[in-house]
Amino acid sequence: MLVVCAALATAPAQSKILMQPYLQAVTSDYAFVLVECDSKAPVIVGYSREGEAPVTASTEGLEMTTEKTYVHSVRLKPLAAETAYSYRAMQGGGTGDARTFRTAAKPGSHFRFGWMADCRSHPDIHAAIAVRLKDAHPDFLLYGGDLCRNEEYKSFKDEFFISEELDLVSRTPFFNAVGNHEAWERNTMAFTEAPDSASKTQSYYSFDCGDLHVLVLNTEDDHGRKSAQFEFARDDLKKSKARWKIVTCHKPAYCGGGHRNDEGMTVISKKLFEPEKVDIVLSGHNHFYQHNLVNGVHHLVIGSSGAPLVNPKDRNDRAKPDD
């Protein structure tokens, strides 16, 4: 794989990179690299595929964190489907090692993905799972929220952006369904980037990979029957002709033990997921594994990547407020 070493043209100001750049919203024809810096000065990312001359892209979007750092979104395009690319964020002669990622699979192709949810509170457990995920070589990652204890900058850095996680997501993109702990607040908005979607929002969205359609919902946002999110989910699932349909969200529609069922998700499941033949709904929020098959839809609750584990029940007991 070619390592990019292109020189950055002289500029009046340069941003200092504060954290290992990582991948977001990788599709079949573009990808985002997110780079946290100390200023708004544009970031340059060099990228190439094997045997081709490197090209560069610069900051497309910019979000400020609560610590007044700036997360630059750099879109790499156009890319070829099912193809390996190397990339590196460059300041002056280059910063950090080049990383390699692979664009989304074409229809009919094989691929694999990983799942993780509720990785807050115990970074050692989170780290071990991140290493296992990396060793499995997934093409992309679906996350079910509660990335960290709360929405504070320090919480993101202490619990989510640990070295093992950064090593993983610098090579493999993750698509997050917002949890109640990090919430849809400034830092979450800054540290995540959704693919282009008919939702016209970063809060909830959808994307395709191979023969799979993924709908990512935000249970922290209004998802009642008259909400914009409900309407988007309805139209999105009706429009998709993919062979497989998966929905990810933080709070589950069905769950025995832990927190109660999310009533809004239960309604969406009955009104949308069942008639539109959704195959699997992946969620977290409850810190255990549970599989509920309801009217042909497999509801998997897997929230066990760092948050304190609890026992599932055969009825809906409410968890403690701190859970």
Side-chain angles (χ1 to χ4, degrees):
M1 182 58 58
L2 177 66
V3 177
V4 178
C5 295
L8 178 66
T10 302
Q14 294 183 356
S15 291
K16 178 182 177 182
I17 295 177
L18 302 176
M19 184 171 68
Q20 166 68 51
Y22 58 97
L23 296 162
Q24 291 280 269
V26 174
T27 70
S28 60
D29 58 358
Y30 66 84
F32 277 96
V33 176
L34 265 59
V35 190
E36 186 187 12
C37 299
D38 64 350
S39 81
K40 298 180 180 180
V43 169
I44 305 297
V45 173
Y47 62 102
S48 68
R49 58 181 178 180
E50 189 171 7
E52 293 188 352
V55 294
T56 60
S58 62
T59 300
E60 177 177 296
L62 192 68
E63 292 281 350
M64 186 176 71
T65 70
T66 55
E67 290 297 302
K68 294 182 170 53
T69 66
Y70 298 89
V71 182
H72 297 247
S73 299
V74 182
R75 189 194 297 255
L76 315 184
K77 66 174 185 178
L79 306 180
E82 235 172 274
T83 302
Y85 285 85
S86 63
Y87 76 95
R88 180 166 63 178
M90 303 188 304
Q91 307 294 62
T95 300
D97 297 330
R99 293 289 193 268
T100 300
F101 69 93
R102 192 171 183 84
T103 49
K106 301 174 184 177
S109 295
H110 295 284
F111 61 89
R112 63 171 55 188
F113 68 86
W115 165 265
M116 179 161 59
D118 298 85
C119 53
R120 53 90 173 177
S121 298
H122 292 284
D124 55 334
I125 297 173
H126 173 200
I129 293 174
V131 170
R132 292 290 297 273
L133 281 171
K134 180 188 173 185
D135 290 345
H137 302 291
D139 293 88
F140 62 92
L141 302 159
L142 299 177
Y143 286 178
D146 279 9
L147 304 179
C148 45
R149 168 67 71 172
N150 55 49
E151 71 275 12
E152 295 178 4
Y153 181 88
K154 187 177 187 300
S155 186
F156 267 95
K157 290 305 181 82
D158 290 348
E159 296 187 344
F160 183 65
F161 286 119
I162 58 178
S163 60
E164 293 84 356
E165 179 67 27
L166 283 169
D167 191 40
L168 171 64
V169 299
S170 66
R171 296 172 170 86
T172 309
F174 73 89
F175 299 82
N176 187 46
V178 179
N180 58 291
H181 277 266
E182 78 270 18
W184 191 236
E185 300 291 345
R186 181 187 294 184
N187 291 323
T188 310
M189 295 177 191
F191 285 126
T192 58
E193 181 78 27
D196 299 335
S197 173
S199 70
K200 306 300 182 185
T201 177
Q202 298 272 309
S203 174
Y204 49 86
Y205 53 92
S206 66
F207 66 95
D208 293 288
C209 181
D211 294 320
L212 173 66
H213 182 71
V214 181
L215 172 61
V216 181
L217 296 180
N218 181 358
T219 52
E220 299 311 296
D221 199 357
D222 185 5
H223 51 289
R225 292 188 64 178
K226 295 183 179 181
S227 68
Q229 185 168 196
F230 185 97
E231 293 179 359
F232 166 71
R234 178 195 61 208
D235 295 344
D236 180 79
L237 292 173
K238 284 184 178 295
K239 182 179 178 181
S240 175
K241 304 301 180 186
R243 180 179 178 183
W244 304 100
K245 296 178 183 178
I246 287 179
V247 174
T248 67
C249 56
H250 181 61
K251 297 176 180 176
Y254 298 99
C255 184
H259 300 280
R260 294 179 186 272
N261 297 347
D262 183 272
E263 294 181 2
M265 289 305 303
T266 304
V267 171
I268 290 179
S269 185
K270 292 177 179 178
K271 299 297 182 181
L272 302 183
F273 300 165
E274 293 173 18
E276 296 304 328
K277 307 299 182 185
V278 168
D279 297 284
I280 297 172
V281 180
L282 287 167
S283 62
H285 195 46
N286 300 279
H287 309 154
F288 48 67
Y289 169 81
Q290 189 174 102
H291 177 195
N292 298 300
L293 178 58
V294 183
N295 296 328
V297 181
H298 295 269
H299 294 263
L300 298 179
V301 181
I302 313 174
S304 53
S305 300
L309 297 180
V310 298
N311 292 322
K313 306 284 186 180
D314 59 0
R315 58 192 179 89
N316 292 320
D317 295 330
R318 184 177 291 279
K320 296 178 181 179
D322 188 51
D323 287 348

